Amino acid sequence: MTDPVFRCLAEGESSSRFASLPDPGLVGRALLDPPHNVLRTVAEGGDYRPEWVWLALRGTEVVARAAFWGGPGDTEPRVLDWFDFTDPAVGTALLRASGLHAEYELILPPGWRSDPLARAAGGARMSAAAEAGYEPLVERFRYTWTPACGVPDRPGRLVFRPAPDDEVLLDVLRRIHSTTLDAHALRATAEGGAKAAARQELDFLRWCPSPREWWRMAYTPAGEPVGFHAPARNPNGPVVGFIGVLPEQRGHGYAYDLLVECTRQLAAEGAERIAAATDTGNVPMAKAFARAGYPVVQHRYCLA
């Protein structure tokens, strides 16, 4: 058997070569709604850069593929979106050959552990990525709200006002992340402290192509600060950008109030779909999403 050739797509090359390898398991882009389950390069009207789309070929046959994604202004990829192979060792070699590294969001169906085919397909990808240097970070629920879910009623317990300036907001985010269940925030805090985690959160929100004017601070009727929420749009559409309650205000279920306001604001802006996610271990936030009518549509197993 000949050794595979590893290369990225050439400038202007059709993505049909990439698509010639079908998703060989019950995971991957096939679980996403069209048109997101079809990779298209920038030249084809999509948002994947050819130099970040990699193939392993034996002759003309694609035996492994990997596609990294980043926003229009990013100089490095933000996420490994696609990773499929017919041979795990070739998949590992492809990731190494690309010279790229970004968080891998492995898409899995709800209840994937009880499905032998999905568990095997997901486990093979996890193992191949681990051989290339990836480490498990967290598993997350991924939600999609649509108008059919209903717009939740406001509890009416809080007052919402435009977000303060960046320095004040950074302190709010620092306090929220000082005690958090979010694995990404915990990793950022471990690497650089709570201030660095707050800065990372703010940088993400500013990266989103949606107005800062949407962001809101929440207060009790007496004027005590409660938390912060950020309706947003990423390059794929409306998202719940951030929901956070200050440590001294936890235990009252306020995350639900913030989520309701965030949902209502995006719906008022015309959102027909709202994407959201939380760690499977973040039970309070998961309960808030369930109460607000957000269905779980995927699990995402993150490796970094």
Side-chain angles (χ1 to χ4, degrees):
M1 184 178 293
T2 60
D3 291 336
V5 173
F6 304 107
R7 68 171 180 86
C8 64
L9 289 182
E11 190 69 34
E13 182 178 3
S14 168
S15 61
S16 59
R17 178 65 64 86
F18 185 90
S20 68
L21 175 66
D23 186 341
L26 299 179
V27 296
R29 294 290 111 177
L31 291 170
L32 283 178
D33 296 324
H36 303 296
N37 61 353
V38 178
L39 181 142
R40 294 184 300 162
T41 64
V42 173
E44 295 168 322
D47 50 9
Y48 286 89
R49 305 181 197 182
E51 66 271 24
W52 291 351
V53 178
W54 279 74
L55 303 172
L57 300 105
R58 283 199 173 100
T60 60
E61 181 187 4
V62 177
V63 292
R65 63 183 182 180
F68 295 81
W69 178 89
D74 291 332
T75 57
E76 296 180 351
R78 284 183 173 261
V79 66
L80 170 58
D81 256 354
W82 303 64
F83 179 45
D84 307 296
F85 45 78
T86 58
D87 180 337
V90 176
T92 296
L94 176 63
L95 291 182
R96 290 173 174 160
S98 74
L100 302 170
H101 190 95
E103 184 170 310
Y104 175 27
E105 287 194 347
L106 172 58
I107 299 171
L108 297 158
W112 64 274
R113 286 182 174 82
S114 61
D115 182 327
L117 290 177
R119 189 174 66 248
R125 287 168 171 81
M126 294 176 198
S127 296
E131 288 294 321
Y134 281 81
E135 296 182 356
L137 177 60
V138 69
E139 185 173 345
R140 291 169 65 78
F141 294 125
R142 202 271 196 177
Y143 306 89
T144 300
W145 178 93
T146 65
C149 301
V151 178
D153 293 331
R154 289 186 174 98
R157 299 190 295 172
L158 301 176
V159 177
F160 293 89
R161 300 171 187 156
D165 64 42
D166 281 5
E167 287 308 309
V168 175
L169 188 54
L170 277 171
D171 187 60
V172 169
L173 292 169
R174 179 192 61 77
R175 289 163 62 196
I176 290 171
H177 284 331
S178 66
T179 58
T180 181
L181 297 174
D182 184 88
H184 287 84
L186 288 170
R187 180 182 63 171
T189 300
E191 292 175 349
K195 288 184 68 174
R199 171 59 66 183
Q200 181 174 294
E201 202 73 64
L202 184 60
D203 287 346
F204 164 74
L205 294 175
R206 293 176 70 89
W207 170 84
C208 290
S210 48
R212 192 186 192 283
E213 288 73 24
W214 287 2
W215 306 353
R216 293 289 184 269
M217 277 289 297
Y219 302 85
T220 66
E224 297 175 354
V226 169
F228 168 69
H229 80 83
R233 285 181 180 270
N234 67 20
N236 291 322
V239 296
V240 176
F242 183 81
I243 301 286
V245 177
L246 291 164
E248 64 271 20
Q249 297 287 0
R250 292 175 187 164
H252 304 289
Y254 285 142
Y256 174 74
D257 300 53
L258 271 65
L259 177 60
V260 167
E261 194 68 20
C262 187
T263 304
R264 293 181 68 89
Q265 191 168 338
L266 287 170
E269 294 290 338
E272 292 295 323
R273 305 177 68 82
I274 302 172
T278 195
D279 296 0
T280 57
N282 192 340
V283 175
M285 197 65 235
K287 287 182 176 179
F289 277 113
R291 184 181 171 191
Y294 279 71
V296 176
V297 296
Q298 299 169 354
H299 282 223
R300 293 197 173 190
Y301 198 101
C302 301
L303 300 95

